[in-house]
Amino acid sequence: DVKVTQSSRYLVKRTGEKVFLECVQDMDHENMFWYRQDPGLGLRLIYFSYDVKMKEKGDIPEGYSVSREKKERFSLILESASTNQTSMYLCASSSIGQGARYEQYFGPGTRLTVT
Amino acid sequence: AQRVTQPEKLLSVFKGAPVELKCNYSYSGSPELFWYVQYSRQRLQLLLRHISRESIKGFTADLNKGETSFHLKKPFAQEEDSAMYYCALSVGSQGNLIFGKGTKLSVKP
């Protein structure tokens, strides 16, 4: 069974704290993605990674960074959390196969509240 | 510019009625389009892709390049179809997707 797991379902942090969101996939996928999901705004891509130690900015990278030291793990880092980063964060992965590269498998999400 | 537009935030229909969720795209290349669905308290998952020309859970979607549309249709809606639906457009060759803002479908008994 395909699995993408995220370290926390719910997280409450204070403004200015450094926040780590972890994502692990067990499908040996090359591609991994971090999105934020907000009502009325849909899914917006924060960062993605095609390979270990590779990262590319998405549409809204400001205030975020990422780390991919191992193929199965992709971490999202909020260097100094702010209230406008309160959101649902979704991690996804996909293979690079011709027919499968656009089928992204999603984790359950982490609902982050910054107070 | 690459863009996916879902004009309806909320669509409410009665059980047994036909349903159509609209999706329009803007893309200069040859598009690949997808519908993803998120049921309550479940993960976002792929519903169908245009290239497969398949019907999943009674849903179909046809790519109309002339109208740059990829509307999702089902002739007889069921209560279990209630969910959030996202249209997505492939961009680049690596597997990136652009998602629309989503349409919440509510099927009433």
Side-chain angles (χ1 to χ4, degrees):
Chain A
D1 192 20
V2 166
K3 268 290 191 281
V4 178
T5 58
Q6 296 183 229
S7 50
S8 306
R9 291 301 302 271
Y10 301 94
L11 209 52
V12 180
K13 295 292 182 181
R14 291 181 184 261
T15 300
E17 279 193 85
K18 190 169 186 175
V19 181
F20 292 87
L21 303 183
E22 303 282 340
C23 175
V24 177
Q25 50 95 4
D26 66 358
M27 296 164 284
D28 200 36
H29 283 170
E30 291 78 10
N31 299 335
M32 295 190 76
F33 308 85
W34 274 107
Y35 296 91
R36 61 179 284 176
Q37 183 182 33
D38 299 289
L41 296 178
L43 272 73
R44 293 179 291 167
L45 182 64
I46 305 172
Y47 267 96
F48 56 97
S49 170
Y50 299 135
D51 202 350
V52 175
K53 297 191 186 296
M54 301 288 288
K55 60 184 179 183
E56 297 284 343
K57 292 181 180 179
D59 300 317
I60 52 166
E62 296 78 20
Y64 303 94
S65 62
V66 291
S67 173
R68 193 165 181 201
E69 296 297 319
K70 293 185 178 181
K71 188 176 185 180
E72 67 271 17
R73 188 179 298 269
F74 192 34
S75 303
L76 180 68
I77 304 153
L78 287 66
E79 295 290 341
S80 177
S82 64
T83 55
N84 63 11
Q85 293 178 310
T86 292
S87 186
M88 173 69 86
Y89 289 87
L90 299 183
C91 175
S93 72
S94 69
S95 75
I96 59 171
Q98 181 68 29
R101 69 185 63 178
Y102 300 118
E103 180 168 3
Q104 295 187 10
Y105 292 86
F106 284 83
T110 295
R111 184 166 294 282
L112 173 67
T113 302
V114 183
T115 61
Chain B
Q2 302 157 346
R3 188 169 56 245
V4 175
T5 303
Q6 294 180 249
E8 304 133 332
K9 284 187 178 180
L10 174 64
L11 187 62
S12 185
V13 301
F14 285 102
K15 177 183 173 181
V19 63
E20 181 180 55
L21 289 83
K22 291 184 167 50
C23 172
N24 289 90
Y25 67 91
S26 174
Y27 186 58
S28 57
S30 183
E32 286 191 55
L33 285 134
F34 307 82
W35 279 98
Y36 277 76
V37 61
Q38 188 170 28
Y39 301 101
S40 179
R41 297 196 175 95
Q42 293 189 27
R43 302 167 186 232
L44 192 62
Q45 59 187 294
L46 178 65
L47 179 63
L48 57 79
R49 65 190 84 195
H50 92 268
I51 203 165
S52 301
R53 303 185 66 83
E54 57 199 346
S55 173
I56 302 292
K57 298 184 179 183
F59 284 99
T60 59
D62 291 319
L63 178 61
N64 186 323
K65 291 187 178 180
E67 295 182 359
T68 60
S69 69
F70 187 56
H71 303 328
L72 184 67
K73 299 177 184 179
K74 185 170 183 176
F76 307 103
Q78 302 300 314
E79 289 180 67
E80 55 265 28
D81 296 329
S82 295
M84 194 74 178
Y85 291 81
Y86 293 95
C87 183
L89 167 70
S90 66
V91 290
S93 60
Q94 295 283 358
N96 283 28
L97 294 169
I98 292 178
F99 286 86
K101 294 183 178 181
T103 297
K104 184 174 182 179
L105 175 64
S106 175
V107 181
K108 298 179 179 179

